[in-house]
Amino acid sequence: MAMAAAAGTTISDLPDVILSNIIAAVSDVRSRNSAALACRKWCLLERATRAAVSLRGNLRDLFMVPNCFPSVSALDLSLLSPWGHPLSSASDPALIAHVLRHAFPSLSSLTFYARNLSSIQLVASQWRSAEHVKLVRWHQRPQVAAAGDELKMLFFECGRLKSLDLSSFYCWTDDVPPALEAYPSLASNLIRLDILNPSFSEGFKSDEIKAITKSCPNLIEFKAACRFDPRYIGFVGDEALVSVSVNCPKLGVLHLADTSALLNARGDGFTAEDASINVATLIEAFSGLPLLEELVLDICNNVRDSGAAFEVLNSRCPKLRKLKLGFFHGISMPIESKLNGVALCQGLKSLSIRNVGDLDDMGLIGIGRGCCKLAEFKIHGCSKITMRGMRTLASLLRKTLVDVGVSCCSNLPARQCLKALEPIQDRIERLHIDCIWDSGQELEDDSDGVGFDLNCLDQDNGFDDDDDGMSKARKRCKYSYDLNMELDVNSNGYGNSVRTWDKLEYLSLWIAVGQLLTPLVEAGLDHCPNLEEIRIKVEGDCREMSRPREREFGLSMLVNYPKLWKMNLDCSDTIGYAHTAPSGQMDLSLWERFYLIGVGHLNLTELDYWPPQDRDVNQRSLSLPAAGLLQECFGLRKLFIHGTAHEHFMMFLLRITELRDVQLREDYYPAPENDMSTEMRADSCSRFEAALNRRRISD
């Protein structure tokens, strides 16, 4: 009898609280939805565990608004279809707002596309108790609105606001200070303010930064795009930087970046101009922020001899765990056995260094010795770093480092970079490299090997304390790694082994226009059994070359990665001719064919694609060859095209049998305003979505 009773016991017999926790632990959305379909009890339990929902339906289909998520506190409306169209332009905007309010009555966090003032009023008035609001707008700011009017409307409707995110909201810098000053009580209650927006052409000026921080004295998190260049009137300098720490002493997260840094511009070394920020100012600012846990300072102008400031940062900000620096020079220059600068920040778990012109291998090794807890390390534009220094850093941080990015370092092309990371290739989970196939720069084949001898480095105090002994050790030490021997990834020794990146799950690649992807495997990424997601960024001017030397880019070689299911192919910074190209050159449609040939061979379920652009006419449009190649991705379930497309090109995609979710998103500055064109018309999008939803999905 006991055995029969045991055989009849199922997981549904567990108490609701335990079963609810089990369902909540499932991260995959489709698996969660499948669990909800098991029975009514499971459906109620699963829906009750959802705290955040992003709606993707069409505004016309109000009957499809879900009302089964009683616990949702965070709602994202920014991706409703047709994308970018204001809610206020619908046939009955009041009804739409009422239905949404009824379905999600208890929101504390709200994200929506704020195309105009009426959209802000319509949505914000439905959830007056919201504490976090993120506004999204990629279209240009309405000219009729006076400075600050849109934010004032938001503050009027949502008086309990504690967090405001404008990082994806196209507006003017003049809009923010007047709105905060008009609602001083709300401003003083703000604990998070994100105005780190790449749409600002010049960034916030010194007076604006001081006014904003004075209005919001209780900020815990502050992110802002600034203008640090001293050649501009109102640039951010010493006074503004100190005012941030004086006005907002509770800050735990501080991001201040020049607007040019947000454009992902490539380059290395020193700039022509020095920033108007000195080391004494940095020391004063750091001393006033004892609770700081995360700091980003990307100045885009030289700050020289800054190492002493970061020694103070370590002592005055003991909670610091994440640091990102741009154009700070002299941050790590160890003298014999003594570490200095950033290398003394022993609590760091994430460090990103950008355009540090004087950072060499010894400085990098000093960082590896001092910052022994680093799990994430990114380096950009440091031309003095070589394979030896990078490999020694990887060896020193073998136990902790899982996320690495190396870009724009002239002495670390792809093959050398991957060779340098061999000590951690069995541990690394996320990786970014530049696909620079420099056939002329081969691996150095000399008696010195590849890495510095770790036996010559004292793991506790750096180099040997005996200066004379250190000098002798340097002369007689031989480098530990031999080019003729592969690192054994299963031990920490040496021996022949297959170069396997066992834990690599995410790979990001930068590649110049016209270059091929096919040498990637030969460079060292030949065996990545668990790679699930890849991002490929293609950048350059197609107008400077007639045509690529091969027929295809090389996407088909990605079939070597058996678990790859998601890809971001970003050609948004690939510039060319959208229409008829001059004689002897290819227009963008042919370049799209070059980059997308072979995509149908991959077993992808999700694809984000940014078409190349013609900046002269502000056009990023899906071409006929691209649509024809995308329709060959028979396993796709989600396809997001970050640009525009003609309706009849979109209809090609209906041939993808498993396709479930498709959207055109013009999420770039400035998004096209001509919504009546055949590429962006709301009726065109609605007809395509209706045809997509009419199809039967096998699973």
Side-chain angles (χ1 to χ4, degrees):
M1 295 291 293
M3 292 179 62
T9 302
T10 66
I11 190 174
S12 295
D13 297 321
L14 291 172
D16 288 355
V17 175
I18 297 177
L19 185 57
S20 177
N21 288 333
I22 292 174
I23 294 175
V26 178
S27 58
D28 182 65
V29 176
R30 292 193 66 210
S31 299
R32 291 277 291 268
N33 289 334
S34 298
L37 294 175
C39 62
R40 182 176 294 276
K41 175 184 176 181
W42 280 41
C43 180
L44 295 175
L45 289 175
E46 194 280 330
R47 296 318 191 204
T49 62
R50 298 288 187 100
V53 167
S54 176
L55 290 188
R56 271 283 296 109
N58 195 295
L59 291 174
R60 299 180 177 183
D61 302 326
L62 284 181
F63 67 94
M64 296 185 69
V65 174
N67 55 9
C68 54
F69 296 99
S71 302
V72 165
S73 59
L75 178 64
D76 186 351
L77 300 174
S78 64
L79 300 177
L80 287 173
S81 292
W83 184 91
H85 286 254
L87 288 173
S88 57
S89 66
S91 57
D92 194 344
L95 177 61
I96 294 175
H98 175 75
V99 171
L100 291 173
R101 175 72 173 85
H102 178 74
F104 306 99
S106 306
L107 294 184
S108 61
S109 176
L110 178 63
T111 302
F112 64 98
Y113 200 94
R115 183 73 179 266
N116 50 37
L117 184 62
S118 57
S119 296
I120 295 176
Q121 183 180 16
L122 176 68
V123 177
S125 62
Q126 303 301 315
W127 293 280
R128 297 179 182 272
S129 60
E131 296 183 350
H132 169 78
V133 170
K134 179 178 181 179
L135 301 182
V136 180
R137 180 169 66 201
W138 299 86
H139 291 82
Q140 292 197 31
R141 177 191 183 279
Q143 300 293 325
V144 295
D149 279 358
E150 293 174 311
L151 294 181
K152 289 177 183 178
M153 177 60 68
L154 174 66
F155 295 163
F156 175 77
E157 299 291 352
C158 301
R160 300 182 183 179
L161 209 59
K162 293 183 179 179
S163 174
L164 179 62
D165 188 343
L166 303 178
S167 60
S168 299
F169 183 64
Y170 201 142
C171 63
W172 298 337
T173 57
D174 300 343
D175 289 324
V176 180
L180 294 173
E181 292 170 355
Y183 289 84
S185 178
L186 182 146
S188 64
N189 289 331
L190 284 179
I191 59 174
R192 293 181 180 86
L193 179 60
D194 188 347
I195 47 178
L196 194 66
N197 194 322
S199 72
F200 299 141
S201 58
E202 296 185 356
F204 287 92
K205 299 180 176 63
S206 177
D207 292 342
E208 292 169 334
I209 292 293
K210 289 188 285 186
I212 291 170
T213 54
K214 185 177 181 180
S215 299
C216 308
N218 294 309
L219 285 178
I220 296 176
E221 180 176 319
F222 181 50
K223 301 178 181 180
C226 306
R227 174 61 75 181
F228 287 100
D229 195 331
R231 296 174 296 178
Y232 288 81
I233 297 175
F235 66 91
V236 173
D238 293 336
E239 186 178 353
L241 198 59
V242 171
S243 71
V244 173
S245 62
V246 172
N247 294 333
C248 305
K250 300 178 183 178
L251 281 176
V253 176
L254 176 61
H255 292 199
L256 298 177
D258 193 270
T259 50
S260 58
L262 303 178
L263 302 177
N264 296 319
R266 294 176 63 82
D268 58 12
F270 295 89
T271 59
E273 298 288 335
D274 289 351
S276 184
I277 295 175
N278 58 52
V279 174
T281 297
L282 292 172
I283 292 175
E284 184 178 356
F286 296 158
S287 300
L289 299 172
L291 303 178
L292 203 60
E293 298 179 16
E294 184 175 321
L295 175 64
V296 174
L297 288 176
D298 205 336
I299 307 298
C300 287
N301 291 96
N302 303 318
V303 181
R304 302 178 186 271
D305 303 321
S306 59
F310 297 106
E311 295 177 9
V312 174
L313 176 67
N314 174 59
S315 61
R316 299 298 176 88
C317 305
K319 296 183 178 181
L320 189 68
R321 296 295 177 265
K322 184 174 182 179
L323 180 62
K324 180 178 179 181
L325 303 174
F327 290 92
F328 283 85
H329 308 293
I331 61 172
S332 177
M333 304 184 73
I335 302 174
E336 295 185 349
S337 63
K338 186 176 181 181
L339 300 178
N340 62 11
V342 170
L344 296 179
C345 298
Q346 300 178 359
L348 285 180
K349 294 184 178 180
S350 174
L351 176 62
S352 179
I353 300 172
R354 179 172 176 266
N355 294 96
V356 180
D358 56 3
L359 182 67
D360 57 12
D361 284 343
M362 298 310 295
L364 189 66
I365 294 171
I367 292 174
R369 288 160 49 208
C371 305
C372 55
K373 298 179 181 179
L374 282 182
E376 177 184 2
F377 180 70
K378 306 289 179 65
I379 187 167
H380 174 101
C382 298
S383 58
K384 293 186 177 182
I385 300 300
T386 69
M387 181 169 51
R388 290 194 180 102
M390 194 67 197
R391 182 155 185 157
T392 307
L393 174 88
S395 300
L396 290 167
L397 298 176
R398 173 174 167 76
K399 294 182 179 180
T400 60
L401 197 59
V402 295
D403 187 349
V404 178
V406 180
S407 58
C408 223
C409 296
S410 56
N411 288 318
L412 282 173
R415 189 182 175 197
Q416 281 83 343
C417 182
L418 294 173
K419 187 73 176 178
L421 295 177
E422 282 181 355
I424 58 171
Q425 69 176 21
D426 61 327
R427 302 180 57 87
I428 192 168
E429 298 173 5
R430 297 174 65 88
L431 173 65
H432 170 87
I433 62 170
D434 289 348
C435 294
I436 298 177
W437 320 121
D438 191 352
S439 58
Q441 185 176 0
E442 299 296 334
L443 293 174
E444 300 170 9
D445 190 8
D446 56 31
S447 60
D448 288 342
V450 181
F452 289 98
D453 188 354
L454 300 183
N455 295 324
C456 295
L457 306 176
D458 177 43
Q459 295 296 317
D460 295 325
N461 300 315
F463 296 113
D464 195 303
D465 292 333
D466 183 359
D467 293 341
D468 294 333
M470 177 60 200
S471 177
K472 295 176 181 178
R474 279 187 177 179
K475 292 179 180 179
R476 66 173 179 262
C477 88
K478 293 293 182 182
Y479 297 108
S480 297
Y481 305 111
D482 189 343
L483 285 172
N484 298 319
M485 306 198 45
E486 295 290 348
L487 184 72
D488 183 356
V489 297
N490 296 318
S491 64
N492 200 14
Y494 312 100
N496 295 325
S497 65
V498 178
R499 291 184 292 180
T500 302
W501 304 76
D502 288 327
K503 295 186 178 180
L504 186 64
E505 298 177 355
Y506 173 86
L507 177 62
S508 173
L509 305 171
W510 177 93
I511 189 166
V513 67
Q515 296 296 311
L516 304 178
L517 190 63
T518 46
L520 185 63
V521 169
E522 182 183 349
L525 281 171
D526 46 351
H527 192 53
C528 305
N530 294 304
L531 183 64
E532 298 180 352
E533 181 178 352
I534 188 169
R535 179 181 179 90
I536 302 173
K537 173 76 172 179
V538 183
E539 184 176 349
D541 195 338
C542 300
R543 299 170 298 185
E544 297 178 355
M545 59 184 67
S546 58
R547 59 186 66 250
R549 64 179 183 271
E550 299 289 343
R551 177 176 175 269
E552 60 181 281
F553 174 53
L555 286 183
S556 56
M557 56 80 56
L558 298 179
V559 297
N560 293 317
Y561 308 134
K563 291 189 177 181
L564 184 66
W565 64 271
K566 182 177 181 179
M567 181 169 73
N568 289 2
L569 180 57
D570 186 354
C571 299
S572 59
D573 286 327
T574 302
I575 314 301
Y577 299 101
H579 305 297
T580 304
S583 177
Q585 292 191 325
M586 301 195 312
D587 60 28
L588 288 180
S589 65
L590 298 180
W591 279 103
E592 279 196 277
R593 183 176 65 182
F594 166 73
Y595 282 112
L596 286 172
I597 286 178
V599 68
H601 298 159
L602 309 180
N603 190 28
L604 298 175
T605 57
E606 185 172 332
L607 173 62
D608 281 70
Y609 174 58
W610 285 259
Q613 63 166 315
D614 187 336
R615 289 180 178 172
D616 294 338
V617 294
N618 191 28
Q619 181 173 344
R620 307 185 191 194
S621 181
L622 189 73
S623 65
L624 176 60
L629 290 166
L630 289 176
Q631 73 175 352
E632 298 176 359
C633 300
F634 298 113
L636 271 186
R637 294 190 66 88
K638 295 184 179 182
L639 173 61
F640 304 117
I641 299 171
H642 301 262
T644 62
H646 291 284
E647 181 180 352
H648 58 285
F649 291 171
M650 294 294 292
M651 292 301 177
F652 286 17
L653 304 178
L654 296 177
R655 301 176 186 177
I656 305 176
T657 55
E658 302 295 328
L659 194 60
R660 194 72 185 92
D661 191 4
V662 184
Q663 192 170 42
L664 296 177
R665 300 174 182 172
E666 301 129 47
D667 47 0
Y668 49 90
Y669 297 111
E673 294 288 343
N674 185 14
D675 293 342
M676 292 306 295
S677 73
T678 57
E679 297 181 81
M680 293 162 282
R681 195 165 50 211
D683 289 342
S684 300
C685 294
S686 298
R687 281 193 295 268
F688 170 76
E689 290 180 348
L692 185 68
N693 293 331
R694 282 196 300 266
R695 304 180 314 153
R696 293 183 61 85
I697 305 297
S698 60
D699 59 348

